[in-house]
């Protein structure tokens, strides 16, 4: 039968051995992390962005690298998914961008601070996370399909699809855009995108930060969304 | 209560009651925010409620561990606490630091790293405070003629907990390195040295309540804490799968993470075996119930539900979802909250000289809080699994998924009401116990086994004055 001194020996030896292994692995990890995380890209702006991230406890709602509070979206890939214009708009007026939705604090960031935060999120999006977050696997398209000859413009995927769905893919904050080209003519859509509130002062859609070229791209895509022609 | 200075434990336990109440209030604020009722958002946004909720948990558990140590160390070491007055100073300092941090959160003052939100300047105060505590019990143990295994394990756990706070205070520019060392504190606390504290307190309770021979209890204590460290230290790797650290952590963390439930399973078997072996009717059956519940629910919550998503293939999808909330709630409740409530239930009749442990409110507190917490865990679990499928597998937008999950949070809030009513009953009972008696009430239990008496347990002469 096991004696008390044998039990104590098991405790001491086991603890010592695993501690040594853990410290050795830590040393090796610290050796490999600079390459895996592109530490060379860690600019002063990125570091200032990280300080902003912490001094406002962003992790108290969002997650980053899957770590956080699960109340707001994971921001690991947000730079790729939504792009800098969207992030800037969100930091400027979160409730304007997601009217009537779960609320985010409006932080009074300066232009430079917004740049720093965007730089930090861009750096995060390039860290090699061993495959996280995983791509969806269950038979749903991950991006709205292009209809006909017009491919879905990147700006549509980054900004518009956050709130609007086509063919069931995209957000449900605003109305789905299936068949929108049959309901509205091109001129209306153009005026709407230029300033939604000029057409409907009660609209909850804000004026989006689109360049003239992006506006044309989005219009060209929307004009293909005709009723009775579901996106392939 | 054998020694007058054990009374200080009462004030630590009272602090626990206060902080636990506040923790639940902030939890309920978050529950309502999740079903869209976020009217408090301008004053208490979610990130504030969340940080207050988790930091209050850590604070009241630490206050509970400290109170437990102040109660157990004199008992085990057979002498008065070295500096009882310092214990009061240290408690007040802890509360002031904690309350400053909590108020600071409401004014957007943060260190802002998950679980380590307390602003850095206050970290130093925490360290000083914990050093005072460690010194106080350390000197008490050092000067004692009898150093038991139970008290050594408890002390080692508390000392390591203090030391492991330090890696979390170092600032890093790289988010990955930052997170890496953050887990040194968070993981090595709750799945490492806190289990030593837990083992020490459980051993004390089992020796006192079941009357099983100290040699037997302490031998198995070594085996369990041995398993804890064998699995828990390298098990830290299960936090290093997807944060930008090398791939080998996937199998190291997976393998050792999968072994972690063994320590908790050991704890469960240990508690039940000692109870059956003891076969003695201790007058405080409520304390026995809480002690056994700690053993069992720590296995279910920390061991089993942790193992459920510790494998990297599963964690790839559950990482960063409400599945973690499911595991977190029952793990902290089962392993640590129940433990502190067990030692409070055990100590209160002795410290105050009243036997309210047989009161109906004590019984209601036990059943309502446990059933409520189990129901909350189920609600979190269903919400978490639904989130995994809708968001991670099917690729739905985050906020659309959250709307789908609201119904589960209504269930969660209902369960939280049951849980909260149990805690309210516990606190009602705590208040009705009244203040601690001025003089020692004699040995914890007159029917204590002879093996313990042979160790040299002597009832001291009541000291004069107050």
């Amino acid at each position: 039968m096991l004696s008390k001194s044998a039990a104590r020996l098991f405790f001491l030896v086991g603890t010592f051995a695993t501690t040594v292994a853990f410290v050795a692995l830590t040393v090796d990890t610290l050796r490999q992390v600079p390459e895996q995380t592109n530490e060379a890209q860690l600019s002063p702006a990125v570091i200032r962005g990280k300080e902003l991230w912490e001094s406002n406890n962003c992790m108290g709602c969002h997650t980053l690298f899957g770590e956080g509070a699960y109340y707001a979206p994971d921001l690991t890939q947000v730079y790729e998914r939504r792009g800098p214009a969207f992030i800037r708009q969100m930091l400027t007026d979160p409730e304007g961008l997601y009217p009537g939705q779960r609320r985010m604090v409006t932080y009074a960031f300066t232009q430079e601070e917004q740049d720093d935060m965007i730089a930090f999120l861009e750096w995060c999006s390039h860290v090699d996370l061993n495959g996280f977050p995983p791509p969806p696997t269950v038979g749903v398209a991950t991006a709205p399909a292009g209809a006909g000859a017009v491919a879905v413009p990147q700006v549509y995927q980054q900004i518009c699809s956050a709130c609007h769905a086509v063919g069931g893919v995209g957000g449900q904050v605003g109305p789905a855009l299936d068949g929108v080209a049959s309901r509205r003519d091109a001129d209306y859509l153009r005026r709407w995108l230029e300033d939604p509130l000029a057409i409907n002062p009660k609209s909850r859609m804000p004026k989006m930060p689109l360049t003239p070229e992006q506006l044309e791209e989005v219009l060209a895509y929307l004009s293909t969304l005709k009723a009775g022609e579901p996106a392939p | 209560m054998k020694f007058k200075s054990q009374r200080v434990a009462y004030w630590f336990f009272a602090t626990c009651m206060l902080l636990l109440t506040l923790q639940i209030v902030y939890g309920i604020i978050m529950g309502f925010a999740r079903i869209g009722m976020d009217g408090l958002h301008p004053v208490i946004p979610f990130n504030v409620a969340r940080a207050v909720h988790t930091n209050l948990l850590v604070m009241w558990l630490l206050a509970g561990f400290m109170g437990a140590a102040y109660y157990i160390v004199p008992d085990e070491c057979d002498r008065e606490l070295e500096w009882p007055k310092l214990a009061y100073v240290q408690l007040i300092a802890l509360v002031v630091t904690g309350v400053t941090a909590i108020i600071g959160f409401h004014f957007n003052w943060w260190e802002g790293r998950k679980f380590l939100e307390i602003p850095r300047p206050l970290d130093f105060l925490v360290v000083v405070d914990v050093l005072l505590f460690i010194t106080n019990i350390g000197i008490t143990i050092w000067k004692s003629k009898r150093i038991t295994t139970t008290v050594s394990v408890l002390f080692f756990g508390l000392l390591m907990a203090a030391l492991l706070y330090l890696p979390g205070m170092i600032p890093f520019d790289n988010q990955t390195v930052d997170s890496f060392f953050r887990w040194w504190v968070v993981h090595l606390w709750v799945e490492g040295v806190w289990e030593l504290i837990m083992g020490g307190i459980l051993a004390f309770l089992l020796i006192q309540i079941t009357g099983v021979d100290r040699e037997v209890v302490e031998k198995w204590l070594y085996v369990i804490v041995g398993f804890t460290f064998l699995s828990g230290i390298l098990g830290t790797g299960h936090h290093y799968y997807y944060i930008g650290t090398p791939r080998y952590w996937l199998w190291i963390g997976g393998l050792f993470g999968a072994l972690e439930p063994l320590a908790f399973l050991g704890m469960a078997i240990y508690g039940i075996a000692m109870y059956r072996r003891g076969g003695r009717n201790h007058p405080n059956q409520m304390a026995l119930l809480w002690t056994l519940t700690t053993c069992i629910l720590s296995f279910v919550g920390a061991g089993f539900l942790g193992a459920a998503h510790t494998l990297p293939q599963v964690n790839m999808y559950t990482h960063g979802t409400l599945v973690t909330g499911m595991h977190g709630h029952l793990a902290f409740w089962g392993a640590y909250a129940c433990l502190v409530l067990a030692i409070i239930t055990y100590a209160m009749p002795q410290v105050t000289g009243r036997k309210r442990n047989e009161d109906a409110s004590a019984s209601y507190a036990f059943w309502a809080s446990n059933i409520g917490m189990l129901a909350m865990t189920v609600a979190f679990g269903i919400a978490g699994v639904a989130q995994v499928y809708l968001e991670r597998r099917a690729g739905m937008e985050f906020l659309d998924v959250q709307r789908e999950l609201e119904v589960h949070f209504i269930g969660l809030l209902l369960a939280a009401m049951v849980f909260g009513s149990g805690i309210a009953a516990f606190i009602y009972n705590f208040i009705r116990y009244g203040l601690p008696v001025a003089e020692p009430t004699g040995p914890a239990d007159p029917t204590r086994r002879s093996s313990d008496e042979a160790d040299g347990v002597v009832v001291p002469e009541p000291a004069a004055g107050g």
Side-chain angles (χ1 to χ4, degrees):
Chain A
M1 190 60 191
L2 184 75
S3 71
K4 189 169 170 181
S5 58
R8 185 190 296 135
L9 193 68
F10 164 72
F11 165 62
L12 292 174
V13 171
T15 304
F16 180 75
T18 51
T19 304
V20 168
F22 184 63
V23 170
L25 287 167
T26 297
V27 171
D28 184 69
T29 298
L30 293 180
R31 206 173 49 76
Q32 293 198 37
V33 158
E35 200 193 328
Q36 194 168 348
T37 62
N38 311 306
E39 213 167 80
Q41 313 287 319
L42 220 50
S43 65
V46 174
I47 294 167
R48 286 195 304 270
K50 178 173 180 285
E51 280 160 15
L52 271 180
W53 173 265
E54 284 167 5
S55 62
N56 293 289
N57 194 30
C58 304
M59 247 189 197
C61 296
H62 291 282
T63 56
L64 187 67
F65 300 171
E67 298 180 331
Y70 334 124
Y71 187 70
D74 187 280
L75 299 183
T76 311
Q77 299 293 332
V78 74
Y79 184 84
E80 306 279 310
R81 262 166 63 79
R82 298 278 172 240
F86 184 94
I87 299 172
R88 193 181 299 282
Q89 184 75 18
M90 191 68 195
L91 288 172
T92 307
D93 184 10
E95 287 183 36
L97 200 51
Y98 280 102
Q101 303 292 309
R102 192 171 275 187
R103 287 191 280 180
M104 172 173 154
V105 176
T106 308
Y107 294 99
F109 289 157
T110 62
Q111 188 84 18
E112 291 71 36
E113 285 174 326
Q114 291 186 349
D115 291 339
D116 293 341
M117 184 63 89
I118 290 168
F120 172 63
L121 292 170
E122 182 185 7
W123 176 83
C124 288
S125 73
H126 293 137
V127 173
D128 175 3
L129 299 178
N130 299 334
F132 183 86
T137 52
V138 184
V140 173
T142 54
V150 182
V152 184
Q154 189 195 23
V155 65
Y156 177 88
Q157 291 198 18
Q158 286 190 332
I159 296 183
C160 313
S161 76
C163 295
H164 297 280
V166 170
V169 178
Q172 297 169 11
V173 176
L177 297 177
D178 301 280
V180 70
S182 305
R183 295 194 298 277
R184 306 288 183 194
D185 61 37
D187 178 54
Y188 180 94
L189 289 174
R190 178 182 302 277
R191 283 187 293 122
W192 179 269
L193 283 177
E194 280 167 354
D195 190 0
L197 298 177
I199 297 181
N200 179 3
K202 286 188 193 149
S203 169
R204 305 183 82 175
M205 175 169 158
K207 186 176 181 310
M208 304 310 296
L210 300 178
T211 64
E213 296 77 34
Q214 288 172 332
L215 189 95
E216 296 305 325
E217 283 174 25
V218 173
L219 280 173
Y221 172 63
L222 293 181
S223 68
T224 64
L225 300 173
K226 298 215 167 72
E229 289 177 36
Chain B
M1 188 169 74
K2 292 194 297 185
F3 297 96
K4 205 171 134 181
S5 54
Q6 284 177 294
R7 276 194 310 166
V8 300
Y10 173 87
W11 297 102
F12 282 83
F13 296 154
T15 307
C16 289
M17 297 295 103
L18 185 68
L19 301 182
L20 170 59
T21 309
L22 274 176
Q23 192 207 347
I24 295 171
V25 170
Y26 278 82
I28 289 172
I29 291 174
M30 281 192 283
F32 276 106
R34 281 193 176 277
I35 58 171
M37 299 170 77
D38 63 347
L40 284 170
H41 172 83
V43 197
I44 308 173
F46 190 89
N47 65 341
V48 172
R50 153 89 184 193
V52 173
H53 186 69
T54 53
N55 283 272
L56 279 175
L57 168 71
V58 174
M59 270 175 61
W60 82 259
L61 291 179
L62 285 180
F65 292 161
M66 288 174 177
Y70 283 135
Y71 185 84
I72 292 171
V73 168
D75 208 292
E76 287 280 302
C77 292
D78 217 24
R79 66 190 297 271
E80 291 283 359
L81 210 56
E82 188 66 22
W83 300 299
K85 286 207 177 72
L86 183 67
Y88 290 116
V89 172
Q90 183 248 313
L91 173 65
I92 293 165
L94 180 76
V95 172
V96 169
T97 310
V99 168
T100 310
I102 302 285
I103 293 173
F105 292 166
H106 291 78
F107 292 92
N108 209 27
W109 187 37
W110 308 100
E111 180 176 318
R113 298 153 71 212
K114 189 181 179 186
F115 303 125
L116 303 181
E117 288 90 351
I118 295 183
R120 278 207 171 79
L122 295 180
D123 279 347
F124 292 97
L125 290 179
V126 174
V127 170
V128 171
D129 189 73
V130 172
L131 284 179
L132 289 179
F133 162 73
I134 295 284
T135 311
N136 202 356
I137 60 164
I139 298 284
T140 308
I141 295 169
W142 182 257
K143 287 192 176 173
S144 131
K145 289 187 192 66
R146 190 182 95 143
I147 300 177
T148 63
T149 300
T150 300
V151 95
S152 322
V153 169
L154 179 62
F155 180 74
F156 182 60
L158 292 163
L159 178 67
M160 287 306 293
L163 292 179
L164 281 170
Y165 193 68
L166 303 177
M169 291 171 60
I170 312 167
F172 296 100
D173 290 338
N174 186 323
Q175 179 67 21
T176 296
V177 181
D178 188 303
S179 194
F180 185 88
F181 284 105
R182 195 171 55 79
W183 288 116
W184 273 44
V185 188
V186 179
H187 175 93
L188 290 177
W189 264 18
V190 299
E191 280 149 289
V193 297
W194 279 26
E195 284 184 57
L196 289 194
I197 301 170
M198 178 187 177
I201 296 174
L202 271 183
F204 173 80
L205 286 167
L206 289 170
I207 291 169
Q208 300 294 328
I209 298 172
T210 67
V212 173
D213 193 86
R214 177 180 289 279
E215 283 297 303
V216 177
V217 172
E218 291 182 342
K219 177 175 81 183
W220 290 108
L221 177 61
Y222 271 128
V223 175
I224 286 163
V225 295
F227 270 114
T228 299
F229 278 169
L230 203 59
S231 59
I233 293 175
L234 287 171
T236 315
H238 66 202
H239 298 289
Y240 298 159
Y241 297 158
Y242 309 119
I243 63 166
T245 40
R247 246 177 199 285
Y248 53 70
W249 286 111
L250 266 66
W251 66 265
I252 293 172
L255 179 67
F256 287 89
L259 291 176
E260 274 183 35
L262 283 184
F264 286 106
L265 181 63
M267 204 90 80
I269 296 172
Y270 168 73
I272 294 165
M274 293 305 148
Y275 160 64
R276 294 170 70 112
R277 193 175 175 134
R280 176 173 74 161
N281 256 342
H282 189 275
N284 196 338
Q285 286 296 302
M286 215 53 198
L288 175 69
L289 214 48
W290 278 109
T291 304
L292 291 179
T293 303
T294 308
C295 295
I296 294 164
L297 283 189
S298 65
F299 169 64
V300 178
F304 179 75
L305 293 182
H309 70 139
T310 194
L311 290 180
Q313 300 88 326
V314 178
N315 196 258
M316 169 71 97
Y317 290 98
T318 59
H319 180 50
T321 68
L322 292 161
V323 169
T324 313
M326 160 197 76
H327 159 57
H329 275 78
L330 198 64
F332 272 95
W333 170 254
Y336 300 118
C338 283
L339 177 74
V340 171
L341 299 182
I343 184 80
I344 292 177
T345 306
Y346 173 77
M348 283 303 277
Q350 321 233 10
V351 173
T352 63
R354 296 184 188 85
K355 300 239 177 306
R356 293 196 47 86
N357 47 299
E358 288 157 21
D359 193 82
S361 64
S363 198
Y364 178 80
F366 174 81
W367 291 107
S369 60
N370 278 293
I371 290 169
M373 181 52 82
L374 285 169
M376 282 167 68
T377 306
V378 172
F380 264 116
I382 295 172
V385 172
Q387 186 189 8
V388 166
Y389 277 92
L390 294 176
E391 190 185 327
R392 292 284 169 77
R393 304 286 281 196
M396 268 173 76
E397 287 292 325
F398 179 88
L399 282 177
D400 300 334
V401 175
Q402 293 294 313
R403 262 191 305 277
E404 296 291 323
L405 300 181
E406 279 181 10
V407 62
H408 303 297
F409 282 92
I410 295 172
L412 181 85
L413 280 166
L414 290 174
M417 297 303 154
V418 178
F419 172 77
S421 76
I423 297 301
F426 194 96
I427 293 171
Y428 163 79
N429 206 28
F430 185 93
I431 294 167
R432 290 292 304 276
Y433 265 114
L435 296 177
V437 288
E439 299 302 329
T441 49
D445 177 9
T447 60
R448 186 178 250 195
R449 284 218 169 162
S450 55
S451 71
D452 229 34
E453 299 295 337
D455 281 345
V457 175
V458 184
V459 186
E461 291 295 316

